[in-house]
Amino acid sequence: MLRSLRGLVCHPQKLDHRYALHTAAKDCLSSLVKQDVQTPAEGPRAVFYTSENDPANHAEHHEGRHYTIPLEEVKAVFPHGLPHRFQQQIKTFNEACLMVRKPALELFAYLKKSNFAHPAVRYVIYGEKGTGKTMTLCHVVHYCSRQGWLVLHIPDAHLWVKNCRELLQSSYNKDRLDQPLQASFWLKNFKTSNERFLKEIKTQRKYVWGKRDSTEEGRPLGEVVEQGLARVRNASDAVGVVLKEIKQQCHLGFFRLLVAVDGVNALWGRTTLKKEDKSPVSPEELTLVYNLRKMMRNDWDSRTGHSIPEEVSQERNRGALLERNSLDHWNQHGELWNCKWRGCRDDPQPDWFAFQTPFCLFAARAAGEAQLSSRAAISTTGIAAGCSTRERTRRRGRRSCGS
Amino acid sequence: MAAPSAAGLARRLRAWLPRLTPVRWSRYGPSYLEPDVSKELYQKPLEELSEEEKEKLKLRAVHPIKAAPPSVSTSVFSDPMISKFTNMMMKNGNKVLARSLMSQTLEAIKRKQLEKYHKAPEGEKETIECNPYVIFHQALKNCQPIIGLSSITRGGKTYQVPVPLNDSRKRFLAMKWLITECRENKHRRTLMPEKLSQELLQAFNNEGPIIKKKHVLHKMAEANRAYAHFRWW
């Protein structure tokens, strides 16, 4: 310490000298920065950006380039759903530029070739933390909304299973719990993004909300949404009704449906919520989660199909998707297609894939992550147990290798 | 009495046995020179050097040089003012946190200025400064007081006497005021980078609480002009 003080005493000009040098350097830099901001050099822009703003026309030669989404479209298509950091970037730079990447292109290929006569196909986007799963999902959502599909986008399923202040007992089913705030927030955003469908889809049943409120058969779905927004107590039930109606009417052929859920492993994991008697709440007991799980199933008698790209997030519940009950849930209905994050599968072969996939999922997970919750390790099948039991790490630490 | 004689004894002992009593000394001998950390000097070809620079280089070739402290760097991104500010913001030796706060502050300043830039009409775009380093340096320069007050006791009473300040003291006061203001006068839930970026932008435009504090100090010094002759240095 003494040495440094002496240094400062002996060379009082040193700080100034370096400061002067630095200001000179910084002046140069600032003038350069100003130039770049005022007149963007054509060279970098041509290399990094592409003028093809329609996701349907994105091909391999667009890979690695950014395309711009006009700001009005951002407000219409993504009222919720973009990650927070990306929203900050949009606010700062006054433009929304998304990068075209291989997994998104792969998904587009599958969606274009999908046969809607078959039952619904479900896609899982998985990967390490910070690799761009949410952005891929947003790219797919943008593509589908441009194609005129009805997009059911749940921005973050984790928000429905934790940090919920108000839990009401559901009036429809005594065992279940309602979440009025989350439901009404989601309904508001759903309304913004899918205005025209709410006028076209009509209810097929009468719904009674209370002593005085009811929605007749044949009324547009917009009324159900209005009811949910007006009476917050009925919001969760309104969400359930909307999901049921959409699912039933999908096969009539008026629209194509995309169900996009971010952080889907939250639906099968544990919640941090507690009932009044301090007992933990399991996800099935939440109305929103229960209804959403019904959407995830493949038992649609659909002639016009839909697809469900989902995204598995890297939270503590990450072992949840691999639990036995959810495995059977996926396994029963056979097809589970994988969009692997690093490296593309060249020719997906669905028939062979249907059996291999759950195990492939395990292998990719066990190799890619340092931590698997021990619960998942116990409940997995024999093949995977060998590679996952070596990491009996503490469940407490949330730090994964990506950070 | 026992106490002064004991102290006197200790002093005499220390002079006689310098190595046995613990004293904080530099481990470097007198021939050690300070390190010269500038790329520009060493990248110049020999012909361009002036006579005195050549002499200096020859001297440095034969003398031992002290080790350079780890905080000093020749990188274009390192700035001694920013390092000093970061060290002053640091608590309990947590340099990692202080540095991350500093970089978040600079990012916040850049974002705010870019937003203003994109919203401004064409004519005003050149006047908006987007470089956070320039804003930081200018803000600190605006916060530096010219004259300070020092307490001098005469005849039992303590007077606040206006005294000139040297550069390092001015810089220190500016940084100290900035940090204290950001720590104390903010809402519990506001984070440091946000508050600091706000204060720096205000100081850059010569407004805000720190500029006010500087003006108050100047006014006090002006008011106490009469006592200026108490200063003997």
Side-chain angles (χ1 to χ4, degrees):
Chain A
M1 178 119 66
L2 194 62
R3 186 192 329 133
S4 64
L5 278 176
R6 240 176 75 191
L8 281 176
V9 161
C10 292
H11 300 266
Q13 293 90 17
K14 214 177 204 182
L15 206 64
D16 291 327
H17 164 71
R18 274 202 229 116
Y19 164 60
L21 270 177
H22 276 275
T23 40
K26 299 295 187 314
D27 283 340
C28 287
L29 276 172
S30 74
S31 62
L32 272 173
V33 160
K34 271 192 193 163
Q35 266 174 21
D36 284 334
V37 167
Q38 282 161 8
T39 54
E42 288 313 316
R45 198 132 189 132
V47 169
F48 295 122
Y49 287 78
T50 173
S51 49
E52 182 56 67
N53 286 345
D54 190 3
N57 303 341
H58 284 156
E60 264 91 31
H61 61 270
H62 290 122
E63 197 184 315
R65 296 224 182 125
H66 298 263
Y67 80 100
T68 321
I69 310 179
L71 289 171
E72 304 80 30
E73 223 180 306
V74 168
K75 268 191 235 153
V77 175
F78 297 115
H80 52 189
L82 289 172
H84 175 68
R85 194 95 177 132
F86 191 70
Q87 278 170 356
Q88 254 185 331
Q89 300 283 72
I90 296 178
K91 201 168 136 219
T92 306
F93 296 111
N94 227 19
E95 55 177 14
C97 293
L98 215 55
M99 199 196 230
V100 177
R101 305 183 77 181
K102 242 198 247 175
L105 292 172
E106 194 186 333
L107 257 177
F108 290 161
Y110 295 152
L111 287 175
K112 280 176 194 161
K113 288 189 213 150
S114 54
N115 188 349
F116 291 111
H118 290 168
V121 186
R122 293 166 294 178
Y123 307 93
V124 175
I125 307 174
Y126 67 98
E128 298 273 331
K129 200 157 62 162
T131 41
K133 308 183 280 285
T134 311
M135 295 310 287
T136 304
L137 198 69
C138 293
H139 195 179
V140 174
V141 163
H142 184 220
Y143 164 75
C144 290
S145 61
R146 273 271 182 130
Q147 300 283 305
W149 294 32
L150 173 65
V151 172
L152 216 67
H153 187 34
I154 286 101
D156 195 357
H158 290 287
L159 297 175
W160 287 2
V161 299
K162 63 178 187 178
N163 294 341
C164 186
R165 294 288 171 85
E166 292 175 14
L167 278 175
L168 302 171
Q169 201 190 27
S170 168
S171 50
Y172 182 71
N173 186 333
K174 287 283 169 278
D175 299 326
R176 290 201 222 127
L177 295 163
D178 268 357
Q179 286 155 295
L181 293 171
Q182 277 84 351
S184 57
F185 185 68
W186 185 80
L187 274 175
K188 198 166 65 173
N189 291 328
F190 178 67
K191 193 173 140 188
T192 325
S193 55
N194 293 310
E195 289 270 12
R196 68 178 180 103
F197 288 108
L198 292 179
K199 291 191 203 103
E200 289 169 5
I201 305 177
K202 309 278 184 223
T203 54
Q204 289 180 334
R205 262 188 53 190
K206 180 174 170 187
Y207 296 104
V208 178
W209 302 109
K211 268 193 243 172
R212 275 166 266 177
D213 306 313
S214 69
T215 311
E216 302 296 322
E217 192 180 321
R219 305 294 301 159
L221 211 57
E223 279 196 15
V224 175
V225 175
E226 292 299 327
Q227 175 68 33
L229 286 172
R231 295 237 180 275
V232 182
R233 292 182 78 87
N234 298 334
S236 318
D237 293 324
V239 170
V241 164
V242 161
L243 294 179
K244 190 162 96 170
E245 286 296 324
I246 290 178
K247 189 169 168 177
Q248 278 172 351
Q249 295 192 23
C250 195
H251 69 88
L252 292 175
F254 295 132
F255 58 88
R256 301 225 171 118
L257 174 65
L258 179 87
V259 180
V261 181
D262 198 331
V264 76
N265 40 357
L267 302 180
W268 278 277
R270 293 189 297 179
T271 67
T272 59
L273 307 171
K274 292 205 168 72
K275 290 186 245 200
E276 271 142 14
D277 53 354
K278 311 274 183 174
S279 59
V281 173
S282 74
E284 298 85 39
E285 292 172 25
L286 293 167
T287 331
L288 287 173
V289 176
Y290 181 77
N291 290 324
L292 196 57
R293 276 205 206 177
K294 281 197 283 188
M295 287 293 271
M296 295 288 158
R297 280 196 233 135
N298 215 5
D299 55 355
W300 296 45
D301 54 343
S302 51
R303 266 157 287 150
T304 310
H306 65 293
S307 42
I308 318 182
E310 289 141 14
E311 191 192 302
V312 180
S313 70
Q314 293 274 333
E315 301 273 332
R316 219 200 275 184
N317 279 333
R318 70 180 94 90
L321 193 60
L322 312 174
E323 271 186 47
R324 171 145 284 152
N325 46 3
S326 72
L327 237 204
D328 291 341
H329 176 100
W330 288 109
N331 231 338
Q332 266 166 22
H333 306 288
E335 294 160 48
L336 175 62
W337 290 34
N338 248 323
C339 290
K340 190 162 158 59
W341 188 253
R342 294 197 195 104
C344 211
R345 290 189 197 281
D346 298 293
D347 295 302
Q349 289 147 33
D351 299 323
W352 169 84
F353 220 51
F355 295 103
Q356 295 293 331
T357 312
F359 304 157
C360 291
L361 196 56
F362 290 141
R365 285 216 160 242
E369 291 170 16
Q371 265 185 347
L372 269 180
S373 64
S374 46
R375 218 160 118 220
I378 294 164
S379 64
T380 52
T381 54
I383 296 171
C387 45
S388 54
T389 46
R390 78 186 141 88
E391 299 283 357
R392 291 225 179 241
T393 46
R394 291 170 297 167
R395 264 199 258 164
R396 257 167 272 135
R398 274 204 204 189
R399 284 181 233 119
S400 72
C401 52
S403 65
Chain B
M1 282 185 274
S5 66
L9 259 176
R11 232 182 293 129
R12 267 170 266 154
L13 196 67
R14 216 178 294 141
W16 188 45
L17 300 166
R19 302 250 173 216
L20 296 183
T21 47
V23 157
R24 253 184 344 161
W25 284 339
S26 164
R27 305 311 286 163
Y28 291 123
S31 61
Y32 277 78
L33 300 175
E34 291 293 322
D36 194 356
V37 191
S38 68
K39 268 196 287 199
E40 288 87 2
L41 184 63
Y42 294 106
Q43 275 171 354
K44 262 197 223 172
L46 267 167
E47 297 79 34
E48 286 182 28
L49 292 178
S50 67
E51 281 307 314
E52 45 186 70
E53 279 178 341
K54 282 194 188 145
E55 282 297 320
K56 209 172 107 185
L57 273 182
K58 279 202 193 100
L59 192 72
R60 291 180 81 84
V62 288
H63 276 254
I65 313 278
K66 296 185 193 176
S71 49
V72 153
S73 144
T74 52
S75 154
V76 290
F77 303 111
S78 75
D79 189 348
M81 258 317 214
I82 302 257
S83 313
K84 185 69 64 202
F85 194 80
T86 320
N87 289 341
M88 284 180 73
M89 263 211 298
M90 173 168 62
K91 274 190 187 174
N92 300 334
N94 195 349
K95 183 75 146 263
V96 173
L97 183 61
R99 211 177 131 149
S100 75
L101 288 175
M102 194 70 223
S103 60
Q104 281 168 40
T105 309
L106 294 171
E107 191 190 332
I109 296 175
K110 178 89 191 193
R111 277 186 196 269
K112 285 184 191 171
Q113 292 298 94
L114 270 179
E115 272 176 49
K116 245 199 279 189
Y117 178 89
H118 284 297
K119 290 201 182 109
E122 281 304 321
E124 282 178 29
K125 283 202 174 175
E126 281 122 15
T127 55
I128 297 179
E129 180 58 62
C130 282
N131 190 346
Y133 292 96
V134 165
I135 293 180
F136 179 79
H137 285 122
Q138 188 59 41
L140 276 187
K141 216 194 281 190
N142 292 348
C143 288
Q144 284 176 10
I146 303 171
I147 192 167
L149 289 173
S150 146
S151 318
I152 295 181
T153 323
R154 279 292 168 88
K157 267 180 72 175
T158 327
Y159 299 95
Q160 293 290 322
V161 174
V163 313
L165 300 170
N166 50 12
D167 281 334
S168 45
R169 178 79 187 153
K170 285 184 200 166
R171 274 196 293 270
F172 170 77
L173 278 176
M175 292 199 230
K176 188 80 184 174
W177 288 343
L178 200 49
I179 293 175
T180 335
E181 169 70 33
C182 289
R183 279 184 185 159
E184 285 170 14
N185 293 352
K186 68 173 171 72
H187 183 63
R188 178 183 58 93
R189 296 220 37 181
T190 340
L191 296 171
M192 180 72 163
E194 208 204 291
K195 173 77 178 171
L196 233 194
S197 58
Q198 208 180 352
E199 291 300 328
L200 280 170
L201 284 168
Q202 279 182 325
F204 178 70
N205 297 327
N206 267 317
E207 26 180 71
I210 299 147
I211 302 288
K212 229 165 114 179
K213 193 163 178 172
K214 176 182 85 156
H215 289 323
V216 159
L217 182 65
H218 286 174
K219 280 198 194 111
M220 285 260 287
E222 186 63 32
N224 286 2
R225 248 172 53 175
Y227 303 127
H229 64 279
F230 282 165
R231 186 175 61 97
W232 64 86
W233 64 88

